[in-house]
Amino acid sequence: MSIVDPLLEFPLDTQPDPDEFLRAALRWHFSPETGSPFWLERAGTLGFDPLTDIGGFADLGRFPNLANELRHVRAEDLIPRGYGEKPEVVGVYESGGTTGAPKRIVLLREWLDRLLAWSSAQLDRHGVPQNVNWLVVAPTGPHMVGDVIKRQTAFRGGLAFTVDLDPRWVKKLISDGKGAEAGAYAEHIVDQVAFLLQTQDIGVLMCTPPVLERLARREDLAKLIDEKVKAINWVGTQMDADTRYLYRTEVFPKAHLYSGYGSTMILGNASERPGLSDDDPCIYDPFSPHMIFDVVDPETRETVPYGERGQVVMHHISKSLFMPNNLERDYATRVPAPEGIWQLGDSVADIAPVQEFDNETVIEGVY
């Protein structure tokens, strides 16, 4: 095992110098002894030397967006050599595949442990109880979210009950004009959720906005959720402010409603900012400096002013993965980082999918 710069493993309660952190990450990912075959093969095509020509985060934009190459690259080539001959791989996961062929990413145990510690701290800030069971209504393999939340539940001392979603099947049904079949599939999901809620002790419910909407339509089920569930974690791209207010004040007034905004390409998610009022937009703060957000004009790729909308660009920088300048399929409002909290880059609010991405129509389906 190679010697690791301690900057890449900084304690979560400390603040590393951002430029020194980035340079440490580049030394790891672009040194022949520790870097991944993926980046070592591409280093010569960049037109600059990442080890000498990148002074800090101001230079990060020089890297190309290579996320689309993850549709075809060998998964093994994404693992840094510094992890040795037997790296502890949790899984190989794919993007949603709602805009063309899926991209693949490798989740290593070291990064998962770091992510779970950070995510659990965010849940504590929201007042989500520990030592309770979760009902996770989300995609599992080849998708990442369901598997990670199951591990998070165990990390926090509970059991995870799961209902699997297949967003690709729903997308196919909708694109083929089979909306009724997609609706029947969604009701099949709700039936499974209902049985688990009726028979098990569930403290936290995790699901997508379309699923939560169908749960809310069933008055007896909505009442059961509000009586049993302490927190509802919705994940997906959007929930309008009026619906969010209705859920909080009338449909599920006893449960704490909060959300996360994630992407497979950053190996995790941003957390909803705690303490937001019903009048505030839903703001997401990333796991800095490992996850960094920018909001850009889709035509010029220039950062938009605060309060303006643009397309989200995500960066992931850790010992496990280096993936900069990934243009996501979402629009968002650019928001300053929260006061008093150290963060690189911006926060984002009012997430909504673009209509078309990589020449593919975006279909949300069960998301």
Side-chain angles (χ1 to χ4, degrees):
M1 185 74 64
S2 302
I3 297 176
V4 182
D5 191 317
L7 280 170
L8 294 181
E9 299 175 337
F10 65 90
L12 295 182
D13 59 352
T14 63
Q15 299 177 3
D17 178 274
D19 291 339
E20 290 183 3
F21 167 76
L22 175 59
R23 289 193 292 269
L26 294 177
R27 287 193 296 271
W28 173 266
H29 287 288
F30 287 93
S31 295
E33 300 80 14
T34 56
S36 68
F38 176 83
W39 279 113
L40 294 176
E41 290 174 5
R42 285 153 185 79
T45 69
L46 297 175
F48 60 89
D49 187 342
L51 298 179
T52 59
D53 296 339
I54 301 298
F57 276 92
D59 300 323
L60 195 61
R62 297 183 65 180
F63 286 93
N65 175 15
L66 298 182
N68 278 339
E69 295 193 21
L70 301 184
R71 301 183 196 277
H72 307 290
V73 68
R74 292 174 71 248
E76 296 90 338
D77 289 348
L78 297 173
I79 303 173
R81 292 173 176 170
Y83 282 98
E85 294 184 1
K86 294 183 179 180
E88 191 172 355
V89 175
V90 174
V92 179
Y93 296 106
E94 297 182 356
S95 62
T98 55
T99 54
K103 305 162 190 171
R104 292 178 187 84
I105 213 76
V106 177
L107 178 61
L108 297 172
R109 164 63 64 179
E110 180 185 47
W111 169 251
L112 175 65
D113 290 345
R114 196 167 182 82
L115 175 67
L116 293 183
W118 178 83
S119 296
S120 185
Q122 306 314 305
L123 293 175
D124 289 341
R125 292 178 66 202
H126 277 284
V128 177
Q130 297 198 30
N131 303 308
V132 298
N133 299 334
W134 284 51
L135 173 48
V136 183
V137 190
T140 51
H143 306 282
M144 177 178 162
V145 57
D147 282 355
V148 168
I149 298 303
K150 284 191 294 184
R151 294 171 185 273
Q152 179 180 269
T153 304
F155 183 86
R156 292 176 63 81
L159 300 176
F161 297 89
T162 59
V163 176
D164 188 33
L165 289 181
D166 187 348
R168 295 177 186 174
W169 178 241
V170 175
K171 176 207 170 183
K172 179 174 173 57
L173 290 174
I174 293 174
S175 63
D176 290 345
K178 299 177 180 178
E181 291 186 36
Y185 175 79
E187 287 300 309
H188 169 63
I189 296 296
V190 171
D191 289 340
Q192 295 176 73
V193 172
F195 184 68
L196 282 166
L197 285 168
Q198 291 160 1
T199 60
Q200 300 298 322
D201 296 326
I202 304 297
V204 180
L205 169 65
M206 177 183 178
C207 63
T208 64
V211 171
L212 189 59
E213 179 185 358
R214 288 178 180 271
L215 293 172
R217 289 180 196 168
R218 300 191 189 184
E219 187 174 341
D220 59 335
L221 193 50
K223 183 178 179 181
L224 179 62
I225 292 171
D226 200 43
E227 289 176 349
K228 296 185 70 171
V229 172
K230 306 301 182 185
I232 300 172
N233 176 202
W234 62 272
V235 294
T237 55
Q238 62 180 331
M239 179 185 294
D240 65 76
D242 290 341
T243 300
R244 186 163 151 253
Y245 178 79
L246 180 67
Y247 286 162
R248 282 179 164 177
T249 59
E250 296 186 29
V251 184
F252 309 113
K254 297 178 183 177
H256 176 66
L257 184 74
Y258 74 101
S259 64
Y261 169 52
S263 169
T264 307
M265 296 300 101
I266 56 168
L267 287 174
N269 68 285
S271 176
E272 179 180 332
R273 184 175 298 179
L276 296 175
S277 72
D278 291 330
D279 295 326
D280 289 323
C282 201
I283 301 173
Y284 300 100
D285 303 316
F287 182 8
S288 179
H290 295 302
M291 302 174 188
I292 304 164
F293 293 161
D294 193 8
V295 183
V296 303
D297 183 301
E299 299 297 327
T300 66
R301 301 295 172 90
E302 295 294 324
T303 300
V304 302
Y306 285 121
E308 298 294 321
R309 292 187 66 74
Q311 199 161 349
V312 179
V313 174
M314 295 184 176
H315 314 271
H316 179 102
I317 303 168
S318 69
K319 180 182 170 186
S320 172
L321 177 70
F322 178 64
M323 189 53 57
N325 299 311
N326 177 37
L327 185 69
E328 279 286 341
R329 58 178 188 116
D330 298 322
Y331 281 125
T333 301
R334 185 181 178 221
V335 178
E339 291 186 15
I341 294 181
W342 178 80
Q343 176 181 302
L344 277 177
D346 299 314
S347 297
V348 293
D350 294 326
I351 307 297
V354 300
Q355 297 300 306
E356 189 174 280
F357 188 73
D358 284 348
N359 300 315
E360 291 270 349
T361 300
V362 175
I363 299 175
E364 289 297 291
V366 287
Y367 270 100

